[in-house]
Amino acid sequence: MQLFIEETYEDMSRRAADLIAAQLIVDPASTLGLATGSTPIGLYADLVEDFQADRISFEQVTTFNLDEYRGLSPEHDQSYRYFMQKNLFDHVDIDPEATSVPDGANPDAQAACESYEQAISEAGGIDLQLLGLGHNGHIGFNEPCDEFPVRTHVVELTESTINANSRLFESIDQVPREAYTMGIGTIMKARAILVVASGVDKAQIVRDAFFGPVTPQVPASVLQLHPNVTVVVDAEAGSLL
Ligand code: GLP
């Protein structure tokens, strides 16, 4: 594992964006795994800036997002598809057909998850997977549980995740209770993984995930077993290291 502890959120974002930009420069036809949440917003803005400055292009890039709320249409302003359009896709030269987010509007969980998993395989797998970190160690929407889920699947969100994400909805009742998410196996198959975390409220989970025991009760801890992981945190999230 490679660990960068940057001073500020802006520095963390710039470092992570540089690592993604480097991937696109080395292989302009990369397949990226992308994440939502507040943490990556800054790094997406930096990537848009890099695109506008002609440093990188997304023309040949393919993307797969980690997860999506079950029951939200792509147009819903809290859907992860909407988030990706607003924070990245609408501002760069990516082919809309080359961007995938699990289909939250498809009520058939098995079909939605199976076709997503297959599309990732058909694209040749993910070159670089970006991950945020939930307060309970979830990655994507893989919540703490008794065994690591392998493939893309439907999950019931925990109260802690519903509470954390309710800040973005008008009321907690509007937060979907379920989501489709890549599995831990799907994530671990990525050739490289980049984790970002910021803020003092992530300090304990950063420590537990990367320096504690590997256990499905802390889903991100499995990343300790991946051969190519880079963790980029700001000083607050790294304050217990
Ligand atoms: C959500 C997403 C995760 C994300 C996590 C942390 O639950 N499904 O993919 O990593 O929240 O979000 P934030 O970066 O806002 O703390």
Side-chain angles (χ1 to χ4, degrees), residues 20-31:
I20 296 172
Q23 170 72 36
L24 299 190
I25 290 164
V26 171
D27 178 6
S30 292
T31 298

Side-chain angles (χ1 to χ4, degrees), residues 117-132:
E117 193 73 33
Q118 205 172 330
I120 296 172
S121 301
E122 279 164 14
I126 290 168
D127 294 308
L128 176 63
Q129 175 68 56
L130 174 65
L131 295 176

Side-chain angles (χ1 to χ4, degrees), residues 30-32 34 58-65 81 89 93-101 123:
S30 292
T31 298
L32 299 179
L34 298 177
F58 289 80
E59 212 178 344
Q60 300 175 62
V61 170
T62 301
T63 67
F64 289 94
N65 263 76
R81 161 56 76 178
F89 300 154
D93 59 346
I94 198 158
D95 173 1
E97 298 287 311
T99 67
S100 297
V101 179

Side-chain angles (χ1 to χ4, degrees), residues 145-157:
C145 59
D146 294 333
E147 51 188 65
F148 293 113
V150 178
R151 297 165 68 86
T152 302
H153 59 291
V154 60
V155 282
E156 240 176 75
L157 303 180

Side-chain angles (χ1 to χ4, degrees), residues 35-40 66-67 80 132-135 138 140-141 161 165 167 202:
T36 54
S38 314
T39 318
L66 278 168
D67 48 12
Y80 287 167
L133 203 54
H135 290 103
H138 72 237
F141 268 131
T161 300
N165 293 359
R167 69 187 194 278
K202 295 286 173 74

